[in-house]
Amino acid sequence: MVRKPLKGVGETNLISIIRNIINTSEDNDLEFMEIDGNTLAIKVDGLSLSTSRMPFMTYFDMGWKAMAAVGSDFLVKLSRPLYAVVSITMRGRLRY
């Protein structure tokens, strides 16, 4: 197995990795996998402050925007989100 640094993998490649692991090629915003007879829907998404945050938006607004974007993907597929795992990457020189 060739190991690559995590940096630069990106959303599309991460979804490809997950598709290979669960052996599916269905093109969805959500990926579905069976675990112990239950269907689990998972979603990987990301936003960039530099392109997604409008000047009038607070960081609280950005949080709502990110969760609404992911939540809507679940709703479109008639799935109910149960948990959220959030990762925030910020530049060291960012002022808040």
Side-chain angles (χ1 to χ4, degrees):
M1 177 201 276
V2 176
R3 297 201 180 263
K4 297 179 183 178
L6 190 55
K7 180 180 180 184
V9 169
E11 177 183 351
T12 303
N13 287 331
L14 182 57
I15 289 172
S16 290
I17 292 167
I18 293 169
R19 281 188 182 140
N20 288 334
I21 290 170
I22 63 174
N23 196 27
T24 184
S25 61
E26 188 175 346
D27 188 17
N28 280 313
D29 268 350
L30 298 180
E31 292 297 324
F32 297 94
M33 57 189 334
E34 292 286 328
I35 298 179
D36 295 330
N38 297 306
T39 303
L40 176 68
I42 58 174
K43 170 71 178 172
V44 176
D45 212 344
L47 295 174
S48 167
L49 280 178
S50 63
T51 58
S52 298
R53 183 172 177 250
M54 304 307 283
F56 57 84
M57 293 174 76
T58 66
Y59 291 110
F60 184 84
D61 295 333
M62 276 301 298
W64 269 102
K65 181 177 181 173
M67 294 310 295
V70 171
S72 69
D73 291 337
F74 279 93
L75 292 174
V76 166
K77 295 293 184 174
L78 302 176
S79 298
R80 181 177 56 137
L82 299 175
Y83 304 99
V85 177
V86 179
S87 172
I88 300 173
T89 304
M90 302 170 88
R91 292 190 176 124
R93 66 176 189 264
L94 182 68
R95 303 183 129 204
Y96 56 91

